Amino acid sequence: MRIGDVMDRDLTSVTPERVIGEVIEILARHRLTGIPVVDDDLRVVGFISEKDIVRAALPGYFDYLQDASFIPDFGQFQSRLRQISRHKVSQYMTNDVDLFEEDDSDFTVAMTLVQHGYIRGPVVKDGILVGMANRSTLLERILTETEGS
Amino acid sequence: MILTVTMNPAVDEEYFLSEFHAGSWFRANKVVRSAGGKGVNVSVILAQLGYENAAMGFLAGYNGEYIRDELRKYQITTNFVHVPGETRTNVFVVDQTGNLETGIAEPGPYVSEEALERFLINYKRMLGRADFVFIGGSLPPGVPQDIYRELVKLARDGGNEVFVDAAGVALASAMDAKPTFAKIDRRYVSRATSTPFVSLDSIIELFNQAHAQGVTCCLTSYRSYGEVFSLPGGVYLAEIEREGVVSMLGAGEALLAGFIVGRKENMPDEERIRFAMACAYEDSSHAEHGIRSRKAVEDLMNTVRVERLQ
């Protein structure tokens, strides 16, 4: 199955000159973990995730967060988060983004998402954002798809 | 691509009762829940007719999630701004004995200045991918009443054809920006101008005023099951059969979606009108929203009565 036939055609995105505070609001309201960064033509130029934001708010400490015994100082975290909320998205977004084409197979896309630990990834047509591939949706499809179909 | 704008979408809940009157307790025979709002309805019918389209506007809360999921089922591209609160629920009660519909509409969630700014950024970006824009419905609290003027102007400046279906100040402001097509709520215009637009002659006069403003095509509802169209080739009255109508909820938008498809396929005037009216008839012939198939629509085209008035 083509990813173009099973992707989520939602184009929620942000431009590089918007601020991190706006991204946090969009992620919370849309219940997303990350969104593509696009230019005025909807061309994908980056990706910004909650992981990027946490990393920006806790520089140098991010890797310790994987350890349950590490508890960051709340006040420090809040202060830093407020500070970066006024900074531009372009400062913290990931520039090197794995993009999928509409004709890519859903299985290949699912495997790429799993291998890289991505929850969702942008699908493009001629570089223009046309939808998002969601890992959980694809895993569900693979689970329920009948063999040979 | 066709772009639809619904600033104030709704979840439509339609209750079918054997009978209904105020002040009593009733049990519903059937309940139909669906994603609604003019642009959302147009998007769904366009998708059912095989037309790729994108829907945008504002969504909020669980109802907003529900609408987005429904649009996703039809593979409709979405680009909504999510705001705090809850997308409205509109309740409709259908008295199946008297064939009467009663409706209650909520105002919708508050839209802040920041959310509106975000919407406008997305809208300008989406216009680059569109060639036809449909703008319709009421405005939620917080959105300026004359916003449609700006939306129509931006779309027209971008070379798009624009269809507006609105009422009140929203319609009046949209007309300033010269949309290509306008569905005119003549009851509002009657109230605003203290002029009754009831007779066909007065409706034609109303259309002439809209044409003088720069609107190419106009339409307005006439009696319960009719529509008057004023196109460059003439003025037409079209009517569908009353028999077989189950619910008119959403039928108006089915008509507009059919009209847009007729335009896209360069159908001659009369064929376009028949196709649009047949979409409305098919949509209204069952409780579930939307059309069953394009063939089901085409099968009804010959039942539409079309009379050329001018």
Side-chain angles (χ1 to χ4, degrees), chain B residues 206-251:
Chain B
L206 176 65
F207 284 165
N208 287 337
Q209 289 170 25
H211 291 320
Q213 272 186 280
V215 182
T216 311
C217 301
C218 308
L219 48 155
T220 193
S221 52
Y222 184 69
R223 298 188 187 134
S224 298
Y225 304 99
E227 195 81 15
V228 186
F229 298 79
S230 181
L231 311 180
V235 181
Y236 303 84
L237 167 64
E239 289 179 291
I240 58 169
E241 298 293 333
R242 187 186 179 122
E243 199 179 318
V245 171
V246 175
S247 164
M248 292 298 285
L249 180 62

Side-chain angles (χ1 to χ4, degrees), chain A residues 66-86:
Chain A
Q66 312 302 328
D67 181 351
S69 64
F70 177 80
I71 301 168
D73 175 74
F74 177 77
Q76 186 195 6
F77 181 63
Q78 186 184 45
S79 155
R80 178 75 185 146
L81 196 59
R82 282 181 177 163
Q83 201 183 332
I84 67 160
S85 71
R86 294 185 290 274

Side-chain angles (χ1 to χ4, degrees), chain A residues 4 7-11 102 130-132, chain B residues 52 75-78:
Chain A
M7 67 186 179
D8 179 0
R9 292 176 180 270
D10 188 51
L11 303 184
E102 279 186 303
V130 291
M132 294 296 291
Chain B
E52 193 185 327
Q75 297 207 326
I76 293 166
T77 298
T78 53

